[in-house]
Amino acid sequence: MAYDLDRFVSDCRTILGEDPGPAGREQVRRHLETLLAEPQFIARHCQDATPGVTVLYEDARLGFQILAHVNAKAHASPPHDHGASWAIYGQATKYTDMIEWAREDDRKDPKHAKLKPVKKYRLMPGTAGIYQNGAIHSIDYPDHACFIRVTGTNLDKIDRIRIDLKTGLIEQMTAQQAS
Ligand SMILES: [Fe+2]
């Protein structure tokens, strides 16, 4: 039987209900890679889907979300965090260039940050990366790149920041401003 969204949701509920920490998230990441290997799932939720962001599932009890990001146009987002949440990015079509950043400042100035890149890689179809609470990354993808994101909570409801690389200015993010 093919792995599908319903089974993935069921697995996420079981796994995160037992262990919402890093070990549970890693299991979710691996299950997401299993889901991304299913052509029917990719066709329905990415290739044949209307461009935009669709919430495929939100768990009322645990709060996690599964979102399909179907991107018609190329885009690069500045370095940003996911606030007090974690996020898993699973590439479905095309690719996403990821940079993970570390802060070099002492975090005493709430308006400025100094970043250095610590990891650069290209997320290819079928692979998923995990970004733990407070981790900062930037993403850059071409036309028709699609990814599935699992987040610990609805990111539109929590405080998040993005950082201007040229000036170091820290800005609060508004809903759906960057992923
Ligand atoms: Fe992100």
Side-chain angles (χ1 to χ4, degrees), residues 35-49 51 68-73 89-97 122-127 140-148:
L35 184 63
L36 293 169
E38 291 293 342
Q40 280 187 326
F41 173 83
I42 300 294
R44 179 173 172 191
H45 296 287
C46 299
Q47 289 158 332
D48 299 340
H69 290 252
V70 179
N71 303 299
K73 290 284 166 202
Y89 284 66
Q91 196 69 31
T93 60
K94 296 292 181 82
Y95 62 84
T96 299
D97 285 328
R122 178 165 285 185
L123 206 61
M124 298 299 286
T127 58
D140 188 346
Y141 54 77
D143 290 356
H144 307 300
C146 174
F147 54 84
I148 303 297

Side-chain angles (χ1 to χ4, degrees), residues 77 80-82 87 89 98 131 137-139 149 155 160 178-179:
S77 81
H80 62 270
D81 70 5
H82 310 99
Y89 284 66
M98 294 277 183
Y131 308 91
H137 77 154
S138 54
I139 65 177
R149 212 163 53 127
L155 297 185
R160 302 172 58 195
S179 38

Side-chain angles (χ1 to χ4, degrees), residues 53-58 64-68 154 176:
V53 181
T54 304
V55 179
L56 299 178
Y57 178 77
E58 178 169 2
F64 70 87
Q65 285 191 326
I66 301 168
L67 306 108
N154 181 349
Q176 301 292 351

